[in-house]
């Protein structure tokens, strides 16, 4: 009788111990699942930050190239060379790929005959909004982005019969203004891109610290 009681007591203790172990095992499994999910989320967040960082880096390089290209195109546009319309423009790069824009006009004269779809595509690749603009306004905006001097500001002089020397003088007088406007706009764009790159780097560092 006493032995049976002892065996029953031992079985009760064993059963209780097994239940405790099962409870702890379940808690450990739950904790493991929580940490695995957290690691997964951190990995996803880090991948997204890396993707954004890469995109910003590409955009920054494209902006740097486009700044130089605009200056070269401005010099060509304001050049007194008689054959400047036969000299190719320096292509701008798409901000999302840092590759030459496919529909970019080869020569300055080609901007006048560009299809509307090509103009819109160029503006989109440069990150320039065009919704609500007329066809003429879109072309004018594209010419400004390319770095071409506008006809009104760069070449036309009031009055008919005035000599080529006066027209050339007017173009030269306006050249610094065109350059200053272009350089200021490009400097603002470059500064904004650099700011975003720094923010992306900071977020990436914070995410890596969180993983540790």
């Amino acid at each position: 009788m006493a032995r049976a009681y002892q065996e029953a007591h031992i079985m009760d203790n064993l059963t209780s111990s097994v239940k405790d172990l099962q409870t702890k095992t379940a808690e450990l499994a739950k904790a493991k699942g929580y940490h695995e999910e957290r690691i997964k989320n951190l990995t996803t967040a880090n991948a997204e930050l890396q993707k954004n960082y890469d995109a910003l880096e590409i955009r920054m390089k494209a902006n740097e190239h486009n700044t130089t290209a605009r200056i070269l195109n401005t010099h060509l546009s304001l050049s007194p060379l008689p054959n400047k319309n036969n000299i190719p423009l320096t292509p701008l790069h798409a901000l999302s790929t840092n590759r030459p824009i496919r529909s970019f006009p080869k020569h300055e004269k080609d901007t006048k005959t560009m299809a509307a779809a090509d103009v819109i595509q160029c503006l989109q690749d440069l990150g320039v909004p065009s919704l609500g603009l007329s066809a003429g306004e879109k072309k004018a905006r594209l010419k400004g982005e390319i770095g071409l001097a506008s006809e009104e500001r760069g070449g036309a002089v009031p009055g008919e019969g005035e000599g080529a020397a006066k027209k050339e003088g007017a173009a030269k007088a306006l050249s610094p203004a065109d350059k200053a406007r272009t350089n200021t706009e490009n400097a603002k764009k470059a500064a904004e891109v650099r700011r975003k790159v720094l923010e992306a780097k900071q977020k990436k560092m914070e995410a890596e610290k969180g993983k540790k």
Side-chain angles (χ1 to χ4, degrees):
M1 187 83 177
R3 185 173 181 178
Y5 174 78
Q6 289 178 349
E7 290 177 351
H9 181 67
I10 292 172
M11 287 299 297
D12 289 341
N13 288 337
L14 287 173
T15 301
S16 178
S17 297
V18 169
K19 287 183 178 179
D20 288 341
L21 286 173
Q22 289 176 339
T23 300
K24 290 179 179 179
T25 301
E27 290 175 351
L28 287 172
K30 184 178 179 180
K32 180 184 177 183
Y34 168 77
H35 288 297
E36 286 179 345
E37 183 66 22
R38 188 175 181 185
I39 291 172
K40 181 180 178 181
N41 291 338
L42 287 172
T43 302
T44 302
N46 185 59
E48 188 66 24
L49 283 173
Q50 184 63 47
K51 181 180 178 181
N52 292 337
Y53 173 78
D54 292 341
L56 285 172
E57 189 174 25
I58 290 173
R59 189 182 183 92
M60 183 174 67
K61 289 180 179 179
N63 268 321
E64 289 175 351
H65 166 83
N66 290 346
T67 297
T68 303
R70 288 187 183 101
I71 293 173
L72 293 174
N73 291 334
T74 298
H75 280 297
L76 177 61
S77 178
L78 297 174
S79 170
L81 294 173
N83 64 334
K84 66 178 182 180
N85 276 326
N86 295 322
I87 300 176
L89 296 169
T90 302
L92 269 64
H93 286 189
L95 298 184
S96 60
T97 62
N98 192 28
R99 294 179 180 176
I101 298 173
R102 290 185 178 182
S103 55
F104 193 84
K106 186 174 182 180
H107 303 95
E108 181 175 357
K109 61 184 178 181
D110 296 331
T111 58
K112 298 179 180 180
T113 57
M114 284 182 70
D118 289 338
V119 174
I120 293 173
Q121 186 61 54
C122 279
L123 291 174
Q124 287 178 347
D125 287 341
L126 293 171
V128 179
S130 60
L131 187 64
L133 299 179
S134 66
E137 289 171 334
K138 290 174 184 176
K139 281 191 177 182
R141 181 161 293 186
L142 177 59
K143 290 183 69 175
E145 288 295 321
I146 293 173
L148 304 179
S150 64
E151 294 179 0
E152 294 178 356
R153 297 173 60 187
V157 178
E160 296 181 358
E162 297 184 3
K166 188 173 182 180
K167 290 183 179 180
E168 183 180 342
K172 288 182 178 179
L174 290 170
S175 176
D178 283 334
K179 291 178 184 177
R181 175 179 59 82
T182 301
N183 290 338
T184 299
E185 291 174 355
N186 292 333
K188 289 180 179 179
K189 291 179 181 178
E192 179 65 16
V193 170
R194 289 191 179 92
R195 182 183 67 79
K196 291 182 179 179
V197 169
L198 290 174
E199 288 181 355
K201 286 183 177 179
Q202 183 65 30
K203 290 180 180 179
K204 183 180 178 182
M205 291 173 62
E206 291 175 356
E208 290 177 350
K209 288 181 180 178
K211 289 174 65 177
K212 295 178 181 179

